[in-house]
Amino acid sequence: MIILLQVLPVALRAMVPVTLCAVGEITGERAGVVNIGLEGIMTLSAFAAAIGSWATGNPWIGALCGMGAGAIVGLLHGFISVYLRGDQIISGVGINLLGMGAVGFGTWALWGAKSPMLDKKFWIPEVPGLGISPFVLMTPLLVVLTWWLLHRTALGLRIRAVGENPVAADVVGVPVEGVRLLAVVFGGALGGLAGAFLSLDWLHTVSPTLPAGRGFIALANVVFSKLNPFLALLGGFLFGYFDALAIQLASVAGFGGGIPYQFVRMIPYIATLAVVALAIGRARFPKALGQPYRRE
Amino acid sequence: MADNALLEARGIAKVYPDGTVALRGVDLVVRPGEVHGLLGENGAGKTTLTKIISGLLPPTSGEIRWRGKRVRFSSPREALRAGIGMVHQHFALVGPFTGLENIALGEEGGGALSPVHVASVRRRVEAIMRESGLEAPLDVPVEDLPVGVQQRVEILKMLYREVDLLILDEPTAVLTPQEAEELFSVLRGLAAQGRSVIFITHKLAEVTAVTDRVTVLRRGEVVATRETPGSTAEELARLMVGEELPPPRARAERAPGREVLRLEGFTVPGPAGKPAVQGVSFSVREGEILGIAGVQGNGQTELVEALVGLRPWSGHAELLGKDLAGRGPGEIASLGLAHIPEDRHGMGLILEFNLAENAILGRLRPFLDPLGRLRWGKVYRFARELISRFSIQAPGPRVPVRYLSGGNQQRLVVGRELSKAPKLLIANQPTRGLDVAATRYIRDLLLRLRDEGMAILLVSADLDEVLELSDRVAVMYRGTFAGVLSREEFDRERIGLLMGGVREAG
Ligand SMILES: Nc1ncnc2c1ncn2[C@@H]1O[C@H](COP(=O)(O)OP(=O)(O)O)[C@@H](O)[C@H]1O
Ligand SMILES: [Mg+2]
């Protein structure tokens, strides 16, 4: 029983990347653009954040560098999907491969064969007095902000309109391409923030496989959430909880259980699959999701 | 330039990227405060012309003057800013949005990051509703509204933007006769306020009912612009079609024969758990045409798809005494059912295949040799036979059907279906999108088949078509039959009310 509560701090941390990525992706999908390159975005932006923090000595500037890197990749994906009308899935796959390749090369060039540990002075400090990561507080705030953006503002109305029926938006003068691009860049920036969290706050390292599949879990979380940011927060917390539990169990199992470590580490992923399998089917996705817009 | 012109289009030509020449130098002048009819057959270029005027398509050549100034709109947004708004045939509405959200979209009343000014938008829309007489619920997702009401939301959306020229592309196609009358009085009210309307139609009666002037388009050219008072329907018909058509086939007096199709309590599930067709009962007999009238989207599509085996259903259905329960499309067809689908591109034809290949779709067996190979000689002979029997204008049996006109594609579908020697023919919107000559051909053919003893179930949103062809008419409303009338009881007004959901007493 104790273990179920003990893992809570880790669970809250593990919630962050899966939630931030999902909420960003929800924004893009509401506008009609799928970006399956979240894994790659996090990999790249974790690296960019670490470099930024290391170069400036200020971890917050590092986090901004991570966000900027995510936004730039979002811009690239948005440009390919929206303006070049390319296949969004292929572009997303490309981003994932780019993330692995570029960061693999970058770490090798800077540090040689082994992944570096970031020195403590480059870490994002904990919130004084509370002893928790500022990202854990920021995540729910960003969830509320995104929900408000999507469902209360004029821009949100336009984002949802271009994802559902771009013709209708175009006819009343909403710039379909611009709104879509903006939504994808916003999604990329949130993914970038998630990447910065990975390197500067949680794992304190960079590597080509740093997100360990969390970008894909975030995609599952998007389906689970039915594009509702609040449900994405819940989904993110559920995954984070299983993740933390697995980390804890693995350390225990390593001592006596005889259950292989890798097997226990599968728990969060299998739990995610199960949750998505139960939740899927009732989700209603935007009608124009994945379809480039061309005026006749 | 013409004086007193709000809009003046000169020498507009349009060649689509695929080489189709849709407009060949069209002139159109719209005056302030007039309802201007744009009359023409299907394919004449009416939609193309108005899409150019409203900034959705660039013209290949020609120029447009708006309030006397030369303009070149590169997007609908620019045209809308200038005061030109168009309601498209396929509505441009965001389904899950409410009427209010659809109207507010793009004009939310503040900056991008400020909240939608719901209250002030609502106040303005309500004022517009009072002034124009157009009423629509504002807080229901538009996808849950009947099409006639969705159209009102579309018009309100344009009035909210204070357009001076409102373009309506075949607005009456989705309306009951009464709703059309209401629309006409709204349009007259707008004109009285000094606004102008371009009203597109291919129905002559509507031109005489609402327009002040009319421009007739034929094959991408203007054949005449007239003051409506003083023009006769015959004259306009001649201008529109460009040839005299033989009079329609007279229907033979004929007592219907034995029952071919019988349905009892026929129910088809629809989306979101609500049935699309609910407990419908009827029969169709030899030598009779049963027409199903109704505004599109009231369950007609689902009824037909279930009957031909493409959708699950419950209740009882039998064809020539054989129960249809549990039978798939192939099996049902082999019992003697042929089907002219409403969407000839999606369901009736494979556009990439050639004419001969399409001619044998769904009926390969007679063309196979003992080893199961296609006997192409026989296939081409059969295709040539269809071409001559159904007067299909085509260079030969090897032409991809994509290159045939709509009318000739439909002749091919009809010919193929009739070659199956069916006992029951289901014709769903058989003349939609066809020109006058092809429409006449298909309608005459249906009447001839009926005279020869075939049982025909005709589904059509075109009330005139249903009334012209049917021996009995059933009106479909929200998945049920609102009434079945025999030929002596035909009455446009009464059927129009039934189409709009007004139930008969008793
Ligand atoms: N997007 C398009 N691409 C190619 N040809 C088209 C396109 N839209 C319409 N056409 C063709 O242009 C002609 C005029 O069509 P349209 O303007 O829709 O006529 P109408 O509205 O009078 O029925 C037709 O021959 C039609 O097939
Ligand atoms: Mg048209």
Side-chain angles (χ1 to χ4, degrees):
Chain A
M1 193 56 226
I2 296 295
I3 193 174
L4 293 181
L5 283 180
Q6 267 176 350
V7 300
L8 207 58
V10 183
L12 287 175
R13 273 217 155 87
M15 163 190 86
V16 171
V18 174
T19 306
L20 286 182
C21 278
V23 170
E25 177 64 9
I26 284 171
T27 311
E29 291 196 11
R30 282 283 187 185
V33 183
V34 182
N35 182 1
I36 64 160
L38 301 175
E39 186 86 357
I41 286 183
M42 279 200 285
T43 311
L44 282 166
S45 55
F47 185 76
I51 298 288
S53 177
W54 173 72
T56 64
N58 183 334
W60 286 106
I61 293 182
L64 281 181
C65 291
M67 254 180 114
I72 289 170
V73 180
L75 194 69
L76 179 72
H77 179 68
F79 185 74
I80 292 172
S81 311
V82 176
Y83 288 96
L84 302 184
R85 303 188 180 88
D87 188 301
Q88 300 174 9
I89 301 300
I90 291 177
S91 170
V93 169
I95 290 171
N96 286 331
L97 295 176
L98 175 74
M100 266 208 286
V103 173
F105 174 74
T107 30
W108 173 79
L110 292 176
W111 292 285
K114 61 177 195 325
S115 282
M117 278 315 282
L118 284 182
D119 203 90
K120 187 147 187 180
K121 62 176 185 272
F122 302 125
W123 300 1
I124 297 263
E126 290 188 332
V127 182
L130 285 176
I132 58 171
S133 155
F135 281 88
V136 171
L137 298 182
M138 236 152 49
T139 298
L141 283 180
L142 284 168
V143 165
V144 174
L145 185 85
T146 307
W147 176 86
W148 180 82
L149 174 79
L150 284 175
H151 294 278
R152 283 296 175 268
T153 67
L155 181 60
L157 195 71
R158 293 168 180 206
I159 289 176
R160 288 181 291 135
V162 298
E164 191 69 34
N165 186 351
V167 179
D170 191 16
V171 169
V172 294
V174 172
V176 176
E177 280 94 0
V179 171
R180 285 188 163 175
L181 187 69
L182 190 65
V184 180
V185 169
F186 178 83
L190 284 193
L193 194 62
F197 165 80
L198 289 183
S199 61
L200 298 184
D201 187 322
W202 196 19
L203 305 171
H204 307 133
T205 181
V206 292
S207 99
T209 56
L210 194 66
R214 289 187 177 83
F216 296 105
I217 298 290
L219 288 173
N221 191 14
V222 170
V223 175
F224 166 79
S225 75
K226 297 172 187 149
L227 303 192
N228 175 345
F230 290 117
L231 283 176
L233 181 65
L234 175 69
F237 178 74
L238 283 178
F239 171 78
Y241 192 83
F242 285 121
D243 202 10
L245 201 60
I247 292 170
Q248 190 80 3
L249 283 177
S251 64
V252 175
F255 276 98
I259 309 167
Y261 158 85
Q262 292 85 348
F263 196 80
V264 177
R265 290 293 285 130
M266 276 164 50
I267 290 177
Y269 302 94
I270 290 172
T272 304
L273 271 182
V275 168
V276 169
L278 290 178
I280 208 167
R282 277 164 293 142
R284 181 195 195 282
F285 285 90
K287 274 224 183 65
L289 185 59
Q291 297 164 13
Y293 176 59
R294 179 179 273 121
R295 194 184 285 161
E296 306 264 324
Chain B
M1 74 163 267
D3 30 280
N4 192 22
L6 178 67
L7 175 91
E8 190 183 352
R10 290 286 170 212
I12 303 291
K14 177 70 189 179
V15 183
Y16 278 107
D18 67 356
T20 310
V21 181
L23 297 172
R24 312 160 193 269
V26 168
D27 294 343
L28 175 72
V29 174
V30 180
R31 296 173 186 160
E34 75 168 349
V35 178
H36 194 109
L38 195 53
L39 178 69
E41 288 209 57
N42 278 308
K46 308 178 296 292
T47 300
T48 305
L49 177 60
T50 46
K51 278 184 175 170
I52 289 171
I53 293 171
S54 65
L56 198 63
L57 285 178
T60 308
S61 65
E63 72 172 57
I64 297 174
R65 286 175 180 276
W66 174 245
R67 299 190 218 273
K69 273 210 279 300
R70 176 110 195 246
V71 288
R72 232 199 150 89
F73 302 128
S74 61
S75 71
R77 174 176 24 182
E78 287 176 21
L80 205 50
R81 286 246 162 87
I84 301 176
M86 176 162 175
V87 173
H88 294 264
Q89 226 168 343
H90 303 282
F91 299 150
L93 293 171
V94 183
F97 283 14
T98 64
L100 192 84
E101 288 170 328
N102 268 290
I103 292 169
L105 180 65
E107 294 279 332
E108 299 89 351
L113 286 181
S114 59
V116 180
H117 288 212
V118 177
S120 74
V121 174
R122 185 187 303 275
R123 234 176 297 121
R124 265 189 64 204
V125 176
E126 281 170 352
I128 294 168
M129 290 204 281
R130 253 176 278 122
E131 196 184 326
S132 66
L134 275 173
E135 292 282 338
L138 295 178
D139 299 306
V140 182
V142 293
E143 63 196 1
D144 296 338
L145 296 172
V147 271
V149 183
Q150 293 186 10
Q151 184 182 71
R152 282 183 235 153
V153 175
E154 274 279 54
I155 298 175
L156 285 170
K157 194 167 91 181
M158 291 305 150
L159 296 183
Y160 180 79
R161 286 163 172 75
E162 300 182 331
V163 295
D164 291 313
L165 175 62
L166 176 66
I167 303 172
L168 300 171
D169 193 357
E170 306 215 14
T172 56
V174 297
L175 301 179
T176 68
Q178 284 82 2
E179 286 174 324
E181 270 308 320
E182 286 168 32
L183 175 68
F184 294 166
S185 78
V186 168
L187 299 186
R188 277 185 227 109
L190 291 176
Q193 291 171 12
R195 303 193 196 198
S196 306
V197 177
I198 295 180
F199 175 84
I200 300 181
T201 185
H202 61 256
K203 296 193 175 163
L204 299 163
E206 297 179 348
V207 172
T208 32
V210 270
T211 65
D212 300 305
R213 294 198 307 146
V214 55
T215 292
V216 186
L217 271 184
R218 188 168 75 223
R219 298 206 185 117
E221 280 169 300
V222 171
V223 287
T225 298
R226 296 282 163 91
E227 304 284 330
T228 310
S231 316
T232 64
E234 291 73 39
E235 188 190 355
L236 292 175
R238 216 172 321 110
L239 288 169
M240 176 169 95
V241 183
E243 59 187 307
E244 294 281 350
L245 285 178
R249 181 186 172 92
R251 58 192 308 123
E253 278 310 316
R254 176 175 212 303
R258 70 191 164 126
E259 197 173 77
V260 175
L261 176 73
R262 187 156 63 92
L263 302 192
E264 270 161 35
F266 195 77
T267 295
V268 183
K274 271 198 318 209
V277 178
Q278 201 167 7
V280 161
S281 304
F282 65 87
S283 64
V284 190
R285 289 175 292 174
E286 282 178 341
E288 109 171 320
I289 297 180
L290 174 69
I292 297 187
V295 173
Q296 55 173 268
N298 276 288
Q300 299 96 320
T301 305
E302 290 83 355
L303 173 67
V304 170
E305 289 183 4
L307 269 178
V308 301
L310 292 171
R311 270 174 192 267
W313 50 272
S314 60
H316 183 76
E318 59 181 55
L319 182 64
L320 291 166
K322 299 219 175 56
D323 194 342
L324 292 183
R327 293 184 202 258
E331 216 180 329
I332 292 177
S334 67
L335 291 177
L337 183 147
H339 174 210
I340 303 171
E342 64 181 322
D343 172 11
R344 62 182 161 267
H345 291 165
M347 228 187 238
L349 295 169
I350 300 175
L351 292 179
E352 285 70 29
F353 282 19
N354 69 28
L355 191 154
E357 290 160 343
N358 272 288
I360 58 168
L361 275 186
R363 199 174 67 109
L364 292 180
R365 192 156 305 147
F367 301 97
L368 296 179
D369 70 10
L371 292 175
R373 294 172 305 185
L374 270 175
R375 289 150 69 170
W376 283 105
K378 198 172 170 190
V379 172
Y380 285 121
R381 223 173 309 127
F382 171 70
R384 263 181 235 110
E385 198 183 301
L386 284 189
I387 289 175
S388 74
R389 251 182 68 203
F390 294 91
S391 329
I392 301 171
Q393 310 283 324
R398 287 167 209 262
V399 60
V401 296
R402 178 180 295 291
Y403 297 117
L404 300 183
S405 74
N408 287 308
Q409 290 176 349
Q410 190 72 331
R411 285 170 203 242
L412 172 59
V413 172
V414 171
R416 178 186 72 207
E417 292 305 307
L418 293 179
S419 70
K420 297 172 183 169
K423 297 291 185 294
L424 173 73
L425 177 66
I426 299 183
N428 193 358
Q429 310 266 27
T431 63
R432 184 161 72 181
L434 302 191
D435 62 28
V436 174
T439 299
R440 171 62 56 75
Y441 178 87
I442 300 281
R443 288 183 186 170
D444 283 357
L445 182 64
L446 291 178
L447 273 181
R448 199 183 81 216
L449 293 167
R450 167 232 179 231
D451 293 348
E452 290 167 7
M454 191 178 291
I456 297 174
L457 179 64
L458 168 71
V459 178
S460 178
D462 182 345
L463 184 53
D464 297 321
E465 174 163 272
V466 175
L467 293 181
E468 180 188 327
L469 299 180
S470 310
D471 295 283
R472 290 184 298 140
V473 167
V475 180
M476 217 170 169
Y477 177 74
R478 298 225 169 143
T480 62
F481 278 5
V484 183
L485 294 87
S486 61
R487 217 169 155 78
E488 307 80 64
E489 303 170 296
F490 283 5
D491 170 9
R492 279 186 66 87
E493 183 163 353
R494 185 166 159 212
I495 293 180
L497 289 173
L498 292 171
M499 283 166 69
V502 179
R503 292 261 162 188
E504 314 232 283

